[in-house]
Amino acid sequence: MGMTIAEKILAAHSGHDTVVPGQLIECSTDWVLCHEITTPAALRMLEERGMDRVFDPSRIVAIPDHSVPAMNIKAAKMYQKLKSWVQEKGIQHFYDVGRGGIAHVVLENTGLIKPGQTLVSGDSHTCNAGALGMFATGVGSTDLAGAIYAGKVWFKVPETMLIRVRGEFRPGVSPKDLALEVIRRIDADGANYMVMEWVGETIDRMDMEGRFTLTNMAIEAGGKTGIVAVDDTTRAYMAARGVTPDQYTEYTSDADARFKVVIDIDVSTLEPTVAFPHIPSNGRVAGADQVKISHAYVGSCTNGRIGDLREVARILKGHTVAEGVQMLVVPATQAVWKQAAQEGLMEIFVDAGATVSYPSCGACLGMHTGVLGPGDVCVSSSNRNFVGRMGDPSAEIYLASPATVAASAIAGYISDPREYNDAPAAGSAAD
Ligand SMILES: CC(C)[C@H](C(=O)O)[C@@H](O)C(=O)O
Ligand code: SF4
């Protein structure tokens, strides 16, 4: 019996020639990502047991992102805890506030994490990095503590779900719509503890940003992680970050690998999709129902990248955000912020009446920046629309692509972005 990409990576990291789903393994972690929300608890656990050490300071990446810049004293203390640990242990890769942004998006761009490697973090969207052909997953605080201490984690080898994607996206339809459609089809627990491996001609043609959006949302279907095999697009992406193929291992799933579930999807008939409250699997066609909004949010580790901001600017240019709607644009990282500024996108957002904020998770999980009040209705490019996610429990969140968020902000209600299909690229991309 052949193996899947994930099984091959896990075998290579646990000293086995082969592994099978269900097998318990002790897996070595190439990388541990630490942010200021879950790391302090793991560190306390280690300190209380006299196990206060790190397995390898060059293999830990620390990026504060959720409650930064701190909005209250508690947040300031969590940041301080992460930072003092970084200094004390000599953690080599620290992307401090002002030098980083949303951890998953910062990390994917560093050239540190590579195909064939393993990554864990105390954050559920760690699956994001699977687009690089690596095994990346979120773990709880105890496992995080173990990973920091020993560079090892216990896993039950997951089953793999194969998602075969064919067809060409129609203009105005994007990988986010595909992610929402697949989650709608299989349900919010449809990929429970499975690896979601994305293959097919559509994925082959997709850029890295689109692939990150897909793997990022694996957890919203209950997946252990998402993964995409390495191809020329991945190699070019790594090369642009100074990483050559001799520095990483490429794995592909064998022809006779065992997939627990196989899904086929043709995106050529896919429509802009919106996940209605309060679960990401509640997808419907954008604009089919009249939903008046009070807020529009573009950002997060799912859709706060430069390509997302370009798409939003393309639609917003020459328009204004509807009266009564607050639009918030949060570039995922400092680098995205700078790029957007250089391309003239910031001016387009401001002219349209949108607020642009510093890179952070704040708005995505209702911690700070644009917290929703009672009865507010937000269309969001993020990944979760649970009750109370962005603020008051009575607020509603509709998940959509950046294009749908932009079109909706202009209209004041959830709209189909395809009415802007003729709008040309904006900013310097238009030159
Ligand atoms: C705060 C953090 C632990 C959490 C996660 O694990 O996903 C957050 O990033 C989220 O998206 O809800
Ligand atoms: S951007 Fe949102 S989903 Fe992503 S890590 Fe931050 S809080 Fe979690």
Side-chain angles (χ1 to χ4, degrees):
M1 176 71 73
M3 286 197 288
T4 65
I5 307 175
E7 288 158 9
K8 289 181 185 181
I9 297 173
L10 293 178
H13 284 77
S14 60
H16 294 95
D17 291 334
T18 59
V19 294
V20 290
Q23 186 176 340
L24 286 175
I25 56 162
E26 189 182 66
C27 177
S28 63
T29 55
D30 293 306
W31 296 101
V32 181
L33 171 65
C34 291
H35 64 49
E36 82 290 9
I37 301 293
T38 47
T39 308
L43 298 182
R44 265 195 304 277
M45 239 178 254
L46 292 174
E47 284 158 12
E48 282 162 15
R49 286 164 182 76
M51 296 163 71
D52 180 22
R53 64 155 213 190
V54 301
F55 79 108
D56 183 347
S58 71
R59 291 276 166 185
I60 296 178
V61 185
I63 312 176
D65 62 351
H66 280 68
S67 53
V68 295
M71 66 291 185
N72 56 33
I73 297 164
K74 187 174 169 229
K77 286 181 178 167
M78 293 182 88
Y79 165 79
Q80 285 177 340
K81 174 76 187 160
L82 184 76
K83 186 165 184 172
S84 59
W85 173 71
V86 161
Q87 286 166 343
E88 191 190 307
K89 301 293 181 228
I91 304 298
Q92 280 179 22
H93 308 289
F94 179 50
Y95 294 85
D96 202 352
V97 181
R99 293 176 168 77
I102 297 177
H104 304 303
V105 185
V106 173
L107 185 62
E108 76 195 25
N109 276 293
T110 55
L112 292 171
I113 56 168
K114 300 175 186 69
Q117 294 188 326
T118 56
L119 161 73
V120 298
S121 155
D123 191 284
S124 64
H125 292 100
T126 308
C127 48
N128 180 73
L132 290 173
M134 63 188 298
F135 188 89
T137 192
V139 294
S141 287
T142 313
D143 285 324
L144 177 63
I148 290 170
Y149 176 80
K152 288 189 169 26
V153 183
W154 284 96
F155 283 130
K156 186 176 81 176
V157 175
E159 303 268 9
T160 297
M161 168 187 280
L162 187 69
I163 307 161
R164 301 189 293 209
V165 193
R166 65 178 190 282
E168 190 99 42
F169 286 106
R170 293 185 289 189
V173 185
S174 71
K176 177 61 163 289
D177 300 299
L178 170 59
L180 291 172
E181 171 60 14
V182 167
I183 297 166
R184 184 191 71 79
R185 277 202 205 176
I186 66 176
D187 219 345
D189 59 358
N192 250 0
Y193 207 83
M194 281 185 237
V195 175
M196 297 172 80
E197 183 178 332
W198 296 84
V199 297
E201 47 156 7
T202 314
I203 308 299
D204 296 343
R205 281 194 300 268
M206 196 179 284
D207 63 14
M208 285 309 302
E209 292 202 355
R211 295 178 189 184
F212 283 118
T213 298
L214 294 180
T215 52
N216 179 281
M217 290 200 67
I219 186 67
E220 310 315 334
K224 184 73 177 162
T225 190
I227 206 159
V228 179
V230 174
D231 65 0
D232 280 342
T233 303
T234 330
R235 288 178 206 113
Y237 181 91
M238 294 312 299
R241 286 150 186 81
V243 184
T244 47
D246 55 300
Q247 294 173 269
Y248 53 82
T249 314
E250 299 183 9
Y251 294 101
T252 48
S253 291
D254 293 325
D256 61 344
R258 184 178 166 278
F259 295 101
K260 173 134 192 197
V261 184
V262 179
I263 310 259
D264 283 293
I265 180 158
D266 182 352
V267 298
S268 60
T269 53
L270 188 65
E271 313 225 41
T273 302
V274 173
F276 276 48
H278 295 283
I279 190 152
S281 56
N282 199 6
R284 302 194 206 161
V285 175
D289 309 67
Q290 275 276 340
V291 177
K292 203 171 172 317
I293 57 165
S294 59
H295 290 70
Y297 162 57
V298 177
S300 85
C301 56
T302 313
N303 280 120
R305 299 182 176 85
I306 189 65
D308 302 320
L309 268 51
R310 285 185 188 130
E311 182 63 354
V312 170
R314 183 184 70 80
I315 290 172
L316 281 187
K317 190 168 186 178
H319 297 273
T320 49
V321 171
E323 216 167 293
V325 174
Q326 276 187 39
M327 183 172 193
L328 177 64
V329 179
V330 186
T333 65
Q334 289 284 91
V336 172
W337 212 106
K338 185 175 170 190
Q339 182 71 27
Q342 281 172 347
E343 292 184 15
L345 308 186
M346 295 306 193
E347 205 175 325
I348 296 170
F349 301 145
V350 172
D351 284 347
T355 303
V356 184
S357 173
Y358 49 85
S360 91
C361 293
C364 176
L365 80 168
M367 227 168 207
H368 58 100
T369 320
V371 173
L372 301 182
D376 281 343
V377 179
C378 182
V379 60
S380 162
S381 76
S382 74
N383 47 39
R384 285 187 175 154
N385 55 353
F386 306 150
V387 172
R389 168 75 174 175
M390 294 180 74
D392 192 82
S394 70
E396 293 188 339
I397 304 161
Y398 295 76
L399 304 177
S401 71
T404 300
V405 174
S408 305
I410 297 167
Y413 49 86
I414 293 178
S415 306
D416 188 328
R418 287 176 295 190
E419 58 183 286
Y420 297 94
N421 276 354
D422 292 337
S428 59
D431 303 340

